Amino acid sequence: MLSTSEIGIDLGTANILVYSKNKGIAYNEPSVVAIDTDTKNVLAVGQEAKEMIGKTPGKIVAIRPLKDGVIADFDVTTQMLQHILKKASKKMGLSIRKPNVVVCAPSGSTSVERRAIHDAVRNAGAKKITLIEEPVAAAIGSGLPVDEPVANVVVDIGGGTTEVAIISFGGIVACHSIRIGGDRLDDDIIQHVRKVYNVLIGERTAENIKMGIGYALVDHEELTMDIRGRDLVTGLPKTVTLSSYEVRNALKESLLHILEAIRATLEDCPAELSGDIVDRGVILTGGGALMKGMEEWLSEEIFVPVHLAPSPLESVAIGTGKALQYINKLQTAVK
């Protein structure tokens, strides 16, 4: 018997997660696709494809079809989603023919970008599609009471975008979305190593540096890390030693943009809700929230408590999966 099921999809720039009510997170892999350029066939999706970035022969390319939280390559995204839904349904032990899907979109996305997300999910085999704004999904997934008339502030630092929103009674009261996230931080590290050491490193190396010795703008005990790349002068492999202080300085500008977005959102907050924010604080979610010193730095800068969500990487996916009950509850309340 083929069953129709409700699933939530976090269509992230860096990772795609699929959540089902019964099984929890059924799929969590990088949003990377390896394609044969001659036949246009998809060779690998997810972790397997990510391993291939920068290491494939000419006719095989590993690409990321999502950029800044929205679809950059429609056809590849559709093929990737078909593959993911098949894999997730196998893991859930269901033969999902036409699932009902809740999928998130960045709050700063245009109607054209939202339409592309809707169409890609429909072409991948979904029956009914509900789009939900990413910060609302993140708040639900973090266990915040979004259906109550109190201020819930969410800072979702993802791969392509950072979304800051104040949510009350199921809707967004004020929000700012900037196209700066984990990818931009990786790029800052690549540019720094290139400028200072004349060495070229890849995306994966930059990500490892960020996770290993990347710090927000706080004082800390210095850490060092040996990295390997290509010397741009000789063309030969070279090893250099990076310090966590120089990585922190390389990330400074992008981190200050994130802080600016948080401040701008808090300035837009209605006076009645400001008191709630002082009491309840701000919830950090998304991969960027895991950067060392991030909570400490932000709470010093905005003078309100900053808390990390229970599972920052999965908050949006869990929120999309649970969103339908909230949507129905709010709609009945409004009626």
Side-chain angles (χ1 to χ4, degrees):
M1 172 78 182
L2 292 168
S3 62
T4 301
S5 173
E6 285 174 3
I7 59 171
I9 299 177
D10 172 10
L11 208 56
T13 312
N15 291 287
I16 290 186
L17 290 88
V18 178
Y19 177 90
S20 94
K21 222 181 315 185
N22 312 329
K23 293 276 180 183
I25 301 288
Y27 181 94
N28 178 2
E29 287 194 29
S31 28
V32 183
V33 185
I35 286 181
D36 184 324
T37 51
D38 293 346
T39 61
K40 294 284 184 277
N41 287 342
V42 172
L43 303 176
V45 170
Q47 190 58 46
E48 198 185 334
K50 190 178 181 180
E51 301 290 336
M52 297 181 183
I53 289 181
K55 298 181 180 177
T56 54
K59 68 171 201 146
I60 297 169
V61 288
I63 60 168
R64 297 172 65 177
L66 296 149
K67 191 121 184 71
D68 299 335
V70 292
I71 292 171
D73 189 320
F74 184 81
D75 294 335
V76 175
T77 305
T78 304
Q79 286 187 61
M80 178 172 73
L81 281 168
Q82 284 169 345
H83 182 96
I84 288 167
L85 288 176
K86 204 179 287 178
K87 205 167 174 181
S89 62
K90 204 176 283 180
K91 195 170 176 186
M92 288 186 256
L94 295 166
S95 306
I96 303 177
R97 186 175 54 190
K98 290 271 186 185
N100 291 336
V101 174
V102 180
V103 64
C104 61
S107 55
S109 56
T110 63
S111 55
V112 174
E113 288 165 341
R114 285 169 189 242
R115 185 84 218 160
I117 292 170
H118 183 280
D119 290 351
V121 176
R122 193 190 58 216
N123 291 354
K127 184 183 176 189
K128 184 181 172 212
I129 300 141
T130 309
L131 249 63
I132 178 172
E133 290 186 311
E134 213 165 289
V136 177
I140 294 170
S142 303
L144 297 177
V146 295
D147 52 342
E148 292 174 20
V150 291
N152 300 286
V153 185
V154 174
V155 178
D156 179 15
I157 307 170
T161 57
T162 293
E163 313 257 335
V164 187
I166 299 169
I167 298 157
S168 177
F169 201 63
I172 291 178
V173 177
C175 84
H176 278 77
S177 174
I178 55 169
R179 299 205 166 180
I180 290 176
D183 288 354
R184 173 71 71 89
L185 299 178
D186 294 347
D187 196 48
D188 290 341
I189 293 170
I190 292 170
Q191 297 309 326
H192 170 79
V193 174
R194 185 177 190 149
K195 203 159 69 182
V196 176
Y197 298 99
N198 249 342
V199 168
L200 187 65
I201 58 170
E203 287 173 24
R204 291 189 62 200
T205 306
E207 192 180 11
N208 291 338
I209 295 167
K210 179 181 71 181
M211 289 157 75
I213 60 171
Y215 269 88
L217 311 180
V218 290
D219 290 329
H220 61 275
E221 202 175 310
E222 187 178 11
L223 301 173
T224 58
M225 185 177 189
D226 287 343
I227 56 147
R228 294 173 185 84
R230 191 178 85 228
D231 190 317
L232 289 166
V233 179
T234 63
L236 301 172
K238 185 179 177 180
T239 303
V240 294
T241 304
L242 282 185
S243 126
S244 56
Y245 287 162
E246 58 178 313
V247 172
R248 181 186 65 182
N249 291 336
L251 302 177
K252 187 174 181 179
E253 197 182 328
S254 296
L255 290 173
L256 289 174
H257 280 303
I258 291 172
L259 176 62
E260 216 175 282
I262 297 171
R263 282 189 172 143
T265 310
L266 293 176
E267 279 169 18
D268 291 346
C269 178
E272 290 294 335
L273 291 175
S274 292
D276 291 342
I277 297 171
V278 175
D279 296 338
R280 302 165 62 83
V282 170
I283 287 280
L284 271 186
T285 179
L290 298 170
M291 182 177 278
K292 299 178 189 72
M294 190 63 101
E295 285 171 83
E296 189 191 328
W297 171 59
L298 286 176
S299 60
E300 279 172 15
E301 293 289 342
I302 59 174
F303 309 112
V304 295
V306 176
H307 313 288
L308 195 62
S311 46
L313 290 167
E314 298 172 351
S315 300
V316 175
I318 294 168
T320 51
K322 292 181 175 174
L324 284 178
Q325 67 195 60
Y326 278 95
I327 292 165
N328 296 338
K329 193 174 171 183
L330 286 166
Q331 282 172 349
T332 51
V334 170
K335 281 174 193 172

